[in-house]
Amino acid sequence: MSQLIQIKVVSDVVCPWCLVGKKRLEKAMSLYNGKAEFKVTWKPFFLDSELPREAKNKIEHYNNKFGREKVPLLLDRMKKVGKDEGIEFSFGGEIANTITSHRLIHYAGLKGDQNKVVDELFADYFEREKNIGSIKVLTEAAERAGLNGQEVKEYLEGKQDEKEVFEEAKNTARNYRISGVPFFIIENKYAISGAEDPQTFKNIFDKILKENEGKETVAPKANEAESCAKDGSGVC
């Protein structure tokens, strides 16, 4: 019987390193066919909770945040990193506050499966250049992920669970001292900060499996990798 390994991913939808980290986590998980099963739960994080809910031009936002001369270099590097992970980063379109997208991810969790919704949201924002602050865009993403579009639309048009999502983000960041994402919490015992390589995840998964076999090993060091931080580092 395969063992269940539970993983919490703290992430923001507008964080490119979160998408990179997701791809690397999935590469590591794919190595355990039949030996382990994984349950991934997504937790909210706000890189900029002050972003307006009305969308604004993404490139202009980056220019104001990082400087016009720096932005092309940052985006070019991010595109190169993305290609290695099968991501076609495209940085056109608009950016808006991510509270509504986090509420959709929360709603998907109540319905049983967040991962398909997360996939659609990342693809919408980073590859399709869509505004993930738009209820229409979010509803369409939810429908592609198998949720009832009308129910999702009605949910997002209200304020249900908004306070709870903000509180969850605040408490998670405080409890785990998180200042940047992605941040991975594995079995409530190990933590990885940043988009680490698949081998780092594998080291921890192997340790967990051996621990449950009654064998002691030296705990792997979870090094910090590249991430998006509230202080403005990363293309976020």
Side-chain angles (χ1 to χ4, degrees):
M1 183 177 178
S2 59
Q3 181 181 334
L4 178 65
I5 296 177
Q6 300 196 56
I7 304 168
K8 298 173 186 174
V9 186
V10 187
S11 166
D12 200 356
V13 183
V14 295
C15 164
W17 287 109
C18 294
L19 177 52
V20 171
K22 182 179 189 297
K23 295 289 187 180
R24 293 174 178 175
L25 169 65
E26 289 169 345
K27 284 182 181 179
M29 293 191 302
S30 70
L31 302 174
Y32 292 86
N33 186 26
K35 188 176 180 182
E37 295 180 4
F38 299 89
K39 180 180 180 181
V40 179
T41 304
W42 293 82
K43 300 295 182 181
F45 186 89
F46 293 91
L47 286 165
D48 186 356
S49 60
E50 300 303 315
L51 269 173
R53 300 196 188 208
E54 291 297 320
K56 62 179 181 177
N57 183 275
K58 193 185 301 181
I59 294 298
E60 283 304 309
H61 172 75
Y62 290 155
N63 287 339
N64 292 333
K65 191 171 184 178
F66 304 113
R68 291 182 183 275
E69 293 184 358
K70 192 175 181 181
V71 167
L73 299 176
L74 291 172
L75 298 187
D76 184 61
R77 179 168 178 270
M78 202 73 246
K79 288 177 181 179
K80 290 177 180 176
V81 171
K83 277 192 177 295
D84 290 340
E85 305 298 336
I87 304 165
E88 292 294 330
F89 278 119
S90 182
F91 291 99
E94 297 175 311
I95 186 171
N97 194 294
T98 54
I99 178 58
T100 312
S101 59
H102 281 306
R103 286 179 58 227
L104 174 56
I105 295 169
H106 175 82
Y107 178 87
L110 298 177
K111 296 296 182 179
D113 185 6
Q114 295 175 310
N115 288 294
K116 290 179 181 179
V117 166
V118 171
D119 281 336
E120 291 295 337
L121 295 182
F122 275 139
D124 272 350
Y125 185 73
F126 285 116
E127 297 181 299
R128 301 172 187 141
E129 298 187 352
K130 292 188 177 183
N131 170 21
I132 49 84
S134 162
I135 290 178
K136 180 177 184 295
V137 169
L138 295 176
T139 299
E140 290 171 352
E143 287 178 326
R144 292 194 301 272
L147 296 176
N148 182 296
Q150 184 59 36
E151 291 179 1
V152 167
K153 182 174 180 291
E154 292 173 1
Y155 173 83
L156 295 179
E157 286 177 339
K159 297 290 186 181
Q160 187 177 343
D161 297 328
E162 182 171 301
K163 182 179 178 181
E164 287 79 0
V165 170
F166 275 126
E167 283 298 312
E168 182 178 27
K170 179 182 176 181
N171 292 336
T172 302
R174 182 184 65 243
N175 293 342
Y176 293 96
R177 298 180 181 179
I178 301 170
S179 60
V181 286
F183 193 91
F184 304 86
I185 305 159
I186 305 171
E187 285 290 298
N188 287 321
K189 187 174 182 180
Y190 300 101
I192 294 176
S193 177
E196 275 285 7
D197 58 89
Q199 186 62 46
T200 299
F201 290 104
K202 185 177 184 301
N203 290 344
I204 293 178
F205 297 157
D206 287 346
K207 176 171 175 55
I208 290 169
L209 293 174
K210 288 180 180 179
E211 283 175 340
N212 290 333
E213 291 172 359
K215 299 176 182 178
E216 284 297 323
T217 61
V218 178
K221 182 180 179 182
N223 296 323
E224 291 192 1
E226 292 184 273
S227 63
C228 292
K230 285 190 174 184
D231 63 9
S233 57
V235 187
C236 313

